[in-house]
Amino acid sequence: MEHTEAFRNLAMLLLRSKQRLGVLATEYDITGVQATLLLILEPNKSVKMSYLAEMFECDASNVTGITDRLEQVHLINREQDLTDRRIRLISLTDNGSQLRKKFLSGLEQSDAIGLGGLTTADREKLFEILAKLA
């Protein structure tokens, strides 16, 4: 397989994953972008809103809009940094961590994103490679 074709396949996998995550998100009355934010966050870790703005390639004010609803439904916490009042930190609540787990499981088990044709060993190899890339 040519490398260019491999990148096309990767793009298709990412697109199918995004579409599937959007479907999963609607089951919980949040948007696909909000669900993506939950996936970016890790349980028991806080990240700066500026980091999320970098990840989404948008202005910090857009991240505020994305996080407003998640905070309202108790999926994330927003706090001021103790050492710099200008910095806002975002973290998952327990409910947010549980929903994140459901989304990850729903993506992993979904044939909709194209993993159904892989053997268990191939899936494990793929997940190992993805972990190295992250």
Side-chain angles (χ1 to χ4, degrees):
M1 174 189 305
E2 291 183 38
H3 292 123
T4 54
E5 192 64 22
F7 283 108
R8 178 202 172 275
N9 293 342
L10 178 60
M12 294 301 293
L13 177 64
L14 293 172
L15 182 60
R16 288 192 303 267
S17 296
K18 181 180 176 185
Q19 291 168 339
R20 177 65 181 144
L21 185 58
V23 170
L24 293 169
T26 60
E27 295 174 16
Y28 295 92
D29 198 29
I30 63 173
T31 67
V33 173
Q34 291 166 332
T36 300
L37 189 142
L38 294 179
L39 293 184
I40 291 170
L41 297 174
E42 295 181 52
N44 304 312
K45 290 187 179 180
S46 296
V47 300
K48 296 177 183 178
M49 283 189 65
S50 59
Y51 170 77
L52 295 172
E54 287 175 29
M55 294 301 292
F56 283 111
E57 297 181 328
C58 68
D59 189 75
S61 63
N62 293 5
V63 175
T64 299
I66 295 167
T67 56
D68 281 345
R69 171 86 172 118
L70 295 174
E71 187 176 36
Q72 287 173 357
V73 295
H74 308 288
L75 296 175
I76 64 161
N77 290 314
R78 255 191 300 209
E79 301 169 338
Q80 272 186 332
D81 185 288
L82 296 176
T83 60
D84 188 340
R85 291 182 10 193
R86 298 169 295 174
I87 296 174
R88 301 291 284 173
L89 299 173
I90 308 296
S91 61
L92 291 168
T93 63
D94 288 341
N95 288 343
S97 291
Q98 290 172 6
L99 186 54
R100 179 183 184 272
K101 236 184 240 188
K102 288 179 184 178
F103 287 156
L104 290 170
S105 178
L107 288 171
E108 182 180 349
Q109 296 177 13
S110 172
D111 287 339
I113 65 170
L115 298 182
L118 297 178
T119 65
T120 301
D122 285 344
R123 278 182 186 222
E124 289 304 316
K125 285 179 194 173
L126 174 63
F127 298 150
E128 286 176 23
I129 292 169
L130 291 174
K132 288 179 183 179
L133 295 175

